[in-house]
Amino acid sequence: MIVRVFGFSVIVSLSALAVAFLYRGWTGLALCAILGILEVSLSFDNAVINATVLERMSRFWQQMFLTVGIVIAVFGMRLLFPLAIVWITGGLAPVEAFRLAMNPPPDGADHFADGRPSYEAILLAAHPQIAAFGGMFLLLLFLNFVLGNRGLTWLSWIERPLGQLGRLDQLAVVIALVILVVAAEYLTPDSTRATVLISGILGAVTYLLVDGLSSLFQRRQPGGPDTSSVPGPPDGDCADRTDMQHGEIRSGEPARARHRPAPIAAAVGKAGFFLFLYLEVLDASFSFDGVIGAFAITPDPILIALGLGFIGAIFVRSITIYLVRQGTLGQYRYLEHGAHWAIGALAVILLVSIRVEINEVVTGLIGVAFIGASLASSVRANRRDGRHAHHEAVRTH
């Protein structure tokens, strides 16, 4: 399983390192390796969330995620997206934007001798708008999860009250828009406030549109579930869904079994397409801060594409597939919760970064902390359920 899932990623990574060495020698090799390791280590929450969506897709769309999706992630988000930002915001022709990226000012300066801003400076100047778009998309994803009325909770002291509040229709949208207005008012300079607001609203609209379309077509497909939004589980926990839809879990079975996710109809056709589109926008939102943060290591777009894309993005996709194939989300019941809390933290950090510079390592460590804590809680819960099952078996006999 491990060789089959990660073999391609290893081959591509070694090839990327070889290209980096031929391109910039040992310095290029080292920078490419650092970027790749950074992307993989800080994107595990992305892989977990991707897995929650991917497990609802047919094998065909899973393969599309691993093939076409990789092309979009590597060339689209890690190479073409920064160039497009510089092209649009700098008023440059695409060829000129690429030439600017490949010929930075000497000594890492922000401007050339004639006063023209560098590629990195133009991209960093667009960070508030990028952060607003990605922050709002991820914030709505987080809010729709924690405001869902779920039977299975991890941080019950806060998730249960939030679930009760979530009965108010469209509360997630209301909260997200209020946060956007506050961020625009208190964190955004007057010169960019309007564009930050527009970018944030576009991020929210993108989430609502893609999520709504994927949910609509999934409900319409034969055998598809007729509840809730696509990214999170339907109302109630996994045990509730299993009991209602399949009748597979009986009251006498251990609690660990009751939390095993039920088989659901794989999304095909239009439903699969919109889930695929949702995954790509989600991956883009996660990659915004990574692309910007990569300039702290090197401004070279080729090395960024090699490290973040050919190594980082492809490994994250392999981790996603591994989680799906192994059924990890069912085995570790709170892992999805931890990933969503990590997303909530990332969304807040993106919005705060409109004004305050936050090191990407800090962002990644917060995500790792939530994932690690939820994983540890899942292990403890599984052990507790195992002891209870053992005691029940002893008492029965």
Side-chain angles (χ1 to χ4, degrees), residues 117-130:
S118 67
Y119 174 84
E120 179 183 358
I122 295 174
L123 189 60
L124 291 176
H127 175 72
Q129 293 86 347
I130 298 171

Side-chain angles (χ1 to χ4, degrees), residues 152 255-256 259 329-335 337 378 381-382 385:
L152 176 65
R256 181 176 178 180
H259 292 295
L329 297 179
Q331 184 179 2
Y332 301 103
R333 66 189 73 171
Y334 301 126
L335 196 57
H337 292 73
S378 300
N382 289 342
D385 293 344

Side-chain angles (χ1 to χ4, degrees), residues 56 150 211 215-216 218-219 225-235:
R56 307 171 76 95
R150 306 174 190 282
D211 176 54
S215 299
L216 172 65
Q218 190 174 20
R219 285 196 298 268
D226 195 22
T227 57
S228 90
S229 64
V230 172
D235 292 341

